[in-house]
Amino acid sequence: MPLIELNNVTYAYDGNKNGNFFLGEINFSVEKGEVVSVFGPNGSGKSTFLKIISGILKPRSGTVLFDNKNLNLYSHKELAKKIAFVPTLTSSVYPFSVYEVVMSGRTPYLNFTGFEKKEDHEIVVEALKTVEIYHLRNKGINEVSGGEAQRAYIARALAQKTEMILLDEPTAHLDLKHQVAVMKLLKKLNEQQGKTIILVSHDLNLAGNFGERAILMKNGKIVKDGNAQEVLTQTNIKSVFEVEAFVTHKSFKNETQLNIQITCF
Ligand code: ADP
Ligand code: MG
């Protein structure tokens, strides 16, 4: 039984001036413990797709099931214990500290008094240490670098202790070391804790070698869905992104790695 299942899902934004973006119809499901990387050009609907899976946006038509139960039937609090969403980084307007941002991941677990318990504090400290920003815990979220803020939002998702984590371009603002660290961390969460992960990325090499499964989106539709090595081909990359790519497969540590080179010549 899939963990998440979208059946004939469509979505359109109200007041979209261009009026021509339409998502769907989307039929898509993910098994528990799967890792899926989502690729596609700007405006192809990747963020909209993730927001529908997370329950932030309600489909115009079709259904979204989590654990075989319609997403609409979960309370906000219940859903926040099941699905964590790490949005694309935008600047925060509120002067929260890094610690407070990560603690906000514990909100669904607080009782009616709203007071944090020792356990919540310990979980937050562990999450801060996992993404290597414990030393920044008392700084304002607006006073740290984009990459550090990005890691704070990932730590918040960890503190949320969910079965599924959705990440929208999580490595976009990170230096190389932390790009690799975040991917390794996600891999570990998947392998050791069985977390189901859906990740949007523009990094075909990093994310293409991350999960076994990749999907390509274009104009609000999923145009390819399958094994990452079969989906990320020269032909598919050209038709979706309109760029020339050289794709080779290299054996590395007994695993075949994709090597995608985009050329501007
Ligand atoms: P992607 O993440 O692939 O870049 P999005 O899902 O963010 O694409 O957006 C898909 C389309 O929907 C784009 O054309 C975008 O301009 C439009 N869009 C996104 N958010 C809104 C919104 N809140 N209101 C109106 N249009 C939107
Ligand atoms: Mg987006």
Side-chain angles (χ1 to χ4, degrees):
M1 193 179 71
L3 185 62
I4 193 104
E5 190 176 348
L6 278 66
N7 295 309
N8 305 322
V9 164
T10 68
Y11 188 80
Y13 288 99
D14 279 330
N16 187 353
K17 296 249 178 342
N18 305 324
N20 49 13
F21 177 73
F22 185 78
L23 185 86
E25 288 187 341
I26 305 271
N27 286 294
F28 172 77
S29 66
V30 176
E31 297 294 322
K32 192 170 165 45
E34 249 190 305
V35 173
V36 184
S37 302
V38 180
F39 304 98
N42 296 143
S44 56
K46 304 178 298 298
S47 298
T48 308
F49 175 60
L50 280 197
K51 285 177 190 164
I52 284 183
I53 296 174
S54 69
I56 296 171
L57 296 176
K58 304 258 174 274
R60 282 288 171 101
S61 63
T63 51
V64 183
L65 306 178
F66 186 90
D67 246 346
N68 217 22
K69 177 173 149 184
N70 197 307
L71 224 52
N72 295 331
L73 300 174
Y74 291 90
S75 69
H76 281 301
K77 201 167 168 172
E78 276 179 316
L79 209 53
K81 291 180 187 173
K82 307 237 175 244
I83 307 174
F85 178 56
V86 181
T88 318
L89 194 65
T90 49
S91 55
S92 169
V93 284
Y94 302 106
F96 291 124
S97 69
V98 166
Y99 180 89
E100 287 167 325
V101 165
V102 181
M103 182 57 88
S104 68
R106 297 303 299 163
T107 308
Y109 296 93
L110 303 184
N111 65 18
F112 67 96
T113 64
F115 287 117
E116 295 127 17
K117 297 198 284 288
K118 187 162 164 271
E119 186 199 4
D120 299 306
H121 170 72
E122 284 166 2
I123 288 170
V124 168
V125 167
E126 191 196 334
L128 286 164
K129 287 183 176 166
T130 304
V131 299
E132 299 181 6
I133 51 165
Y134 180 71
H135 60 294
L136 301 171
R137 65 196 176 282
N138 296 321
K139 277 198 142 190
I141 192 72
N142 296 325
E143 296 161 3
V144 295
S145 77
E148 290 161 348
Q150 183 79 71
R151 277 142 64 202
Y153 289 108
I154 292 170
R156 179 176 70 175
L158 298 182
Q160 224 174 306
K161 299 274 176 199
T162 56
E163 259 179 90
M164 184 159 86
I165 307 184
L166 310 172
L167 305 104
D168 200 349
E169 302 189 33
T171 56
H173 297 267
L174 302 183
D175 62 39
L176 288 173
K177 176 184 161 190
H178 289 102
Q179 285 180 29
V180 172
V182 163
M183 296 311 257
K184 277 189 175 164
L185 168 64
L186 294 175
K187 212 168 188 113
K188 198 169 114 190
L189 291 169
N190 171 255
E191 286 170 358
Q192 295 181 359
Q193 299 178 24
K195 287 192 197 275
T196 308
I197 296 171
I198 306 179
L199 157 112
V200 167
S201 178
H202 285 297
D203 194 325
L204 298 178
N205 281 299
L206 207 55
N209 284 308
F210 171 60
E212 280 194 7
R213 183 170 166 199
I215 70 174
L216 287 178
M217 294 191 69
K218 191 173 188 179
N219 300 329
K221 295 192 164 30
I222 294 178
V223 292
K224 292 281 173 211
D225 179 354
N227 177 284
Q229 314 233 352
E230 287 159 22
V231 165
L232 296 171
T233 61
Q234 189 166 336
T235 316
N236 291 343
I237 292 169
K238 178 150 194 184
S239 84
V240 168
F241 291 100
E242 295 163 27
V243 294
E244 295 292 342
F246 293 112
V247 182
T248 51
H249 299 88
K250 281 187 182 163
S251 191
F252 183 70
K253 290 188 180 170
N254 289 329
E255 276 186 42
T256 309
Q257 295 261 307
L258 270 172
N259 182 14
I260 301 167
Q261 196 186 343
I262 308 296
T263 176
C264 46
F265 301 106

